[in-house]
Amino acid sequence: MRLNSLKPAQGSKKDRHRVGRGGGSGWGKTAGRGHKGQKARSGGFHKVGFEGGQMPLHRRLPKRGFKSLTRGDVVEVRIGELETMQATDIDLAALKSEGIVSHQALAAKVILSGKLSRKILLKEVKATKGARSMIEAAGGKVEFTEKKIEEKPKKNKKTEKKQPDEAAKA
């Protein structure tokens, strides 16, 4: 047996369905399009969901819910998961390397769920009040610096207008 002698099994492949090739084929004349109407015409197509001018279903139904595009950016981490970690200095990179947090996460927040019996240092990871108190009760510490958002100074349109030049008047 060679590659050039391979053939599909008998009857496993059917010929392509060719419409509009005479009445003897069974698919002649209208070629399966029926008589008249939009779908019988050439170029007679319409948009997905088009209902002949009637208000489409997706516009008749009310809008519901909201899907946040930033939903997965901040990930919740349980205190019980911190207990299983081997590192004592825990930051976002350590959480990612141990597989507790997704590699796509931009931030993490520790929540009070589980028990903590060892001392850990939490760096640049947010924590709820309950989680913070449990970490500090175990002898650990939470270090998080709030990043200040710099506001751009607002432009005052009145002072920005050009003052008439006194030299030009003289």
Side-chain angles (χ1 to χ4, degrees):
M1 182 187 292
R2 297 241 162 88
L3 286 175
N4 63 350
S5 65
L6 289 176
K7 286 186 177 179
Q10 190 69 32
S12 67
K13 293 282 187 182
K14 288 185 177 179
D15 289 339
R16 189 168 60 90
H17 195 74
R18 299 176 71 211
V19 298
R21 293 296 189 274
S25 69
W27 293 96
K29 196 185 168 199
T30 56
R33 287 171 171 255
H35 294 277
K36 301 184 183 175
Q38 186 177 16
K39 290 182 181 177
R41 317 286 185 205
S42 67
F45 80 100
H46 50 76
K47 293 184 220 170
V48 175
F50 182 70
E51 297 183 17
Q54 174 175 300
M55 188 60 67
L57 182 68
H58 67 90
R59 291 190 60 195
R60 277 180 279 162
L61 298 176
K63 287 190 278 186
R64 178 156 163 75
F66 170 75
K67 286 189 180 178
S68 174
L69 298 174
T70 60
R71 182 179 53 171
D73 291 354
V74 180
V75 182
E76 287 184 350
V77 180
R78 297 183 192 94
I79 282 194
E81 292 173 325
L82 298 182
E83 179 74 28
T84 61
M85 288 181 68
Q86 294 178 359
T88 53
D89 290 3
I90 298 170
D91 60 350
L92 189 61
L95 291 168
K96 286 179 180 180
S97 66
E98 296 223 12
I100 292 174
V101 184
S102 158
H103 284 283
Q104 296 165 347
L106 300 178
K109 187 168 187 175
V110 179
I111 59 170
L112 181 62
S113 178
K115 293 185 180 180
L116 184 68
S117 59
R118 65 189 187 98
K119 185 174 161 180
I120 60 169
L121 175 62
L122 206 62
K123 291 182 182 176
E124 297 306 316
V125 176
K126 289 183 179 181
T128 61
K129 288 179 185 176
R132 184 183 291 263
S133 63
M134 183 178 270
I135 291 168
E136 289 170 352
K141 194 175 177 184
V142 178
E143 292 178 357
F144 184 78
T145 54
E146 285 288 333
K147 293 173 184 157
K148 293 181 181 177
I149 300 168
E150 294 180 19
E151 290 186 24
K152 294 179 182 177
K154 293 181 180 178
K155 294 180 180 177
N156 193 350
K157 291 181 180 178
K158 291 180 181 177
T159 57
E160 211 173 79
K161 287 182 181 177
K162 293 181 182 178
Q163 298 294 330
D165 210 5
E166 289 182 30
K169 288 181 182 178

